[in-house]
Amino acid sequence: MIWYPYEQLKTMKPPYKVVDAKGVYLYTEDKEMIDSVSSWWSTIYGYKNEKINEALIGQVKKFSHVMLGGLTHEPVERLSNQLKDFLPGDLDYPFFSDSGSVAVEVALKMALQYYMNKGEAGRTMILALTHAYHGDTFKTMEVGDDEDYHFVLEAYGKSKYVVNIPTEIQALEDAFEKYGDKLNSFIVEPLLQGAGGMRMYDISFLERARELCDEHNVLLIFDEVATGFGRTGNRFVADLVLPDIICLGKALTGGYLGHAATVANKKVFDAFYDDNPRHALMHGPTFMGNPIACTLASKCLEIFQEEDFMSKIKRIEEIEREEMEGFTHDKIEEVRIMGACVCIEVKDGKDIEGFQEFAYERGVFARPFVKYIYSMVPYVISEEELRKVMRTMKEWFENK
């Protein structure tokens, strides 16, 4: 039996079996449906994108994988140079891995060792947000704050190394006053907290966080695995407030293949660049810098810029607001919109039971969770297709 994610296998409903996909559409044997969640927020350029397909095939004909230990290759060098030009500030030093969760693990390990290399081994604590989600590996679960995903850690008890705070400036200032000299990092999903409920907050919180991190010599980490590449309406939130480390994944390779990057600034990198072998970052995923993944990411970066995807995202948000702003129902707690993300939070999770099947029958694939119906559509979606997604979400409530 396949072990499906986030499911009780004994009681789960049979998943929809996809037999083909193209553009924004997934095809089962009997249905055509718009993928309103971009395969967990990754397939922003659509399925079967011809330019990405050509790049993939071209690299496969050369070689599919070589380890990055003791070897290098043109695709990883090209992608590294592209990221240096594409990312803001001096976020110039990428460490590649194979998933967003591992990218965050690397960032947290990097932050701890940064201070160890500088002789400050006492900076063992991490500041994070309430309702945070940074992945399902152990350290990412520890800095997370979502019992729906991470209740298994109850067996270990509350971590003495992690403090979670709400997105309130007073709570931020209080945390730095109390723990500032013990913190090695403050990690956030900037502006948009994804799996924790599509929670949205103001840029002023991050601006103050940057000031406090500078004041207390704490590294600021942006987990932009989900928020990067335009999802919040910004290329990266890092364009607005510059972190010391940024984590990229999901849309990095356009949803074609798992790959991720933990990108550090010069200050962080310089703490590892040393004659002392113990100052090296001792981490090395087998598929880091995979040539196919790097080729895909390179082509995606080219497409994002050459086809002006930020304009597409701006239009997506305009349509979302036309359709969803002001929409209310007595079962709805709040409707939230940011960039290419829409979330309807209901008062009771029972009120969205059955929505996935309802949407499927209307030609939309959706994946509601807990108390949230949401969309994170591919950026190649047409206006007509996007309005269909929005109206399917509204129709669910209008029929109740």
Side-chain angles (χ1 to χ4, degrees), residues 173-234:
E173 292 175 343
D174 290 346
F176 270 91
E177 183 177 353
K178 186 173 182 179
Y179 303 107
D181 61 344
K182 300 179 181 68
L183 295 172
N184 60 58
S185 60
F186 179 28
I187 183 168
V188 298
E189 300 161 272
L191 295 186
L192 173 64
Q193 294 181 272
M198 305 299 162
R199 298 169 187 272
M200 302 170 186
Y201 60 96
D202 192 75
I203 191 66
S204 61
F205 179 85
L206 297 176
E207 291 170 341
R208 184 61 179 136
R210 178 71 274 176
E211 292 172 352
L212 289 167
C213 283
D214 290 340
E215 182 181 331
H216 292 269
N217 190 28
V218 174
L219 297 181
L220 181 59
I221 303 172
F222 277 9
D223 176 356
E224 295 227 46
V225 170
T227 61
F229 300 97
R231 189 57 70 179
T232 67
N234 309 284

Side-chain angles (χ1 to χ4, degrees), residues 116-251:
M116 291 181 66
N117 286 359
K118 293 172 72 67
E120 298 182 57
R123 284 186 174 267
T124 57
M125 296 186 68
I126 300 165
L127 187 63
L129 298 179
T130 55
H131 308 293
Y133 176 88
H134 295 286
D136 294 332
T137 51
F138 262 69
K139 195 65 180 179
T140 62
M141 286 196 296
E142 187 181 50
V143 298
D145 181 50
D146 197 319
E147 292 181 359
D148 292 313
Y149 297 95
H150 303 151
F151 62 87
V152 66
L153 290 189
E154 291 174 5
Y156 287 82
K158 179 74 174 172
S159 172
K160 63 180 180 179
Y161 298 111
V162 179
V163 176
N164 296 95
I165 61 168
T167 53
E168 301 166 1
I169 289 178
Q170 188 60 59
L172 178 68
E173 292 175 343
D174 290 346
F176 270 91
E177 183 177 353
K178 186 173 182 179
Y179 303 107
D181 61 344
K182 300 179 181 68
L183 295 172
N184 60 58
S185 60
F186 179 28
I187 183 168
V188 298
E189 300 161 272
L191 295 186
L192 173 64
Q193 294 181 272
M198 305 299 162
R199 298 169 187 272
M200 302 170 186
Y201 60 96
D202 192 75
I203 191 66
S204 61
F205 179 85
L206 297 176
E207 291 170 341
R208 184 61 179 136
R210 178 71 274 176
E211 292 172 352
L212 289 167
C213 283
D214 290 340
E215 182 181 331
H216 292 269
N217 190 28
V218 174
L219 297 181
L220 181 59
I221 303 172
F222 277 9
D223 176 356
E224 295 227 46
V225 170
T227 61
F229 300 97
R231 189 57 70 179
T232 67
N234 309 284
R235 280 189 338 143
F236 302 95
V237 183
D239 288 332
L240 307 179
V241 174
L242 191 63
D244 299 293
I245 302 171
I246 187 171
C247 302
L248 306 176
K250 292 191 182 291

Side-chain angles (χ1 to χ4, degrees), residues 280-350:
L281 180 62
M282 299 301 290
H283 204 93
T286 299
F287 293 101
M288 69 179 297
N290 172 266
I292 295 175
C294 290
T295 298
L296 292 170
S298 288
K299 180 54 66 174
C300 288
L301 288 176
E302 290 175 11
I303 293 172
F304 191 92
Q305 295 171 92
E306 292 171 1
E307 299 185 15
D308 191 13
F309 268 70
M310 288 308 300
S311 292
K312 298 180 191 296
I313 294 162
K314 181 180 179 182
R315 182 56 184 151
I316 287 171
E317 182 171 9
E318 289 172 351
I319 294 169
E320 290 170 342
R321 292 191 180 281
E322 287 174 14
E323 290 286 342
M324 303 303 294
E325 279 190 334
F327 179 69
T328 60
H329 188 278
D330 59 8
K331 296 184 182 299
I332 292 176
E333 182 69 34
E334 186 178 32
V335 176
R336 298 189 284 273
I337 304 167
M338 177 181 285
C341 175
V342 173
C343 177
I344 299 175
E345 179 179 349
V346 297
K347 297 174 183 176
D348 188 332
K350 293 181 179 179

Side-chain angles (χ1 to χ4, degrees), residues 74-120:
E74 192 272 338
V76 74
E77 293 172 350
R78 181 175 69 247
L79 177 58
S80 296
N81 288 329
Q82 284 176 292
L83 287 171
K84 179 178 179 178
D85 293 336
F86 193 63
L87 292 172
D90 61 343
L91 292 167
D92 295 341
Y93 303 91
F95 185 99
F96 294 107
S97 58
D98 43 13
S99 74
S101 182
V102 176
V104 176
E105 290 277 352
V106 170
L108 296 172
K109 185 175 181 178
M110 195 180 280
L112 177 60
Q113 189 176 341
Y114 170 84
Y115 289 99
M116 291 181 66
N117 286 359
K118 293 172 72 67
E120 298 182 57

Side-chain angles (χ1 to χ4, degrees), residues 49-65 74-75 78 256 291-296 299:
N49 183 293
E50 290 184 7
K51 293 180 180 179
I52 302 175
N53 283 0
E54 289 175 6
L56 169 65
I57 294 167
Q59 182 57 44
V60 168
K61 288 180 177 179
K62 296 175 183 176
F63 55 95
S64 296
H65 182 62
E74 192 272 338
R78 181 175 69 247
Y256 270 68
I292 295 175
C294 290
T295 298
L296 292 170
K299 180 54 66 174

